[in-house]
């Protein structure tokens, strides 16, 4: 799991955790920051690929 923060310019993933492994330390993992428009384009490409009948 992660917190996802969306602003007009960026998308940030942080505060990672694995609820089934509470003892694991993810404090050194992230945050990951993406350009908002590039992020939106990547999500569109992924959505199209997942909706495709081709495998």
């Amino acid at each position: 799991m992660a917190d996802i923060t969306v602003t007009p310019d960026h998308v940030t993933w942080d505060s990672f955790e694995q609820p089934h492994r509470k003892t694991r330390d993810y404090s050194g993992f992230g945050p990951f920051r993406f350009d908002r428009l590039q992020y939106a384009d990547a999500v569109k490409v992924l959505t199209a690929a997942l909706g495709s009948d081709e495998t």
Side-chain angles (χ1 to χ4, degrees):
M1 294 179 21
D3 288 338
I4 300 173
T5 304
V6 179
T7 69
D9 297 322
H10 297 99
V11 176
T12 304
W13 298 352
D14 65 357
S15 302
F16 291 89
E17 66 178 281
Q18 170 39 279
H20 300 288
R21 295 190 170 93
K22 297 277 186 192
T23 59
R24 289 201 179 168
D25 179 12
Y26 291 94
S27 62
F29 191 68
F32 299 102
R33 187 174 183 195
F34 309 96
D35 176 85
R36 173 76 184 267
L37 295 178
Q38 289 177 331
Y39 187 92
D41 287 344
V43 170
K44 286 178 190 175
V45 168
L46 179 60
T47 301
L50 291 173
S52 174
D53 288 340
E54 297 179 35
T55 55

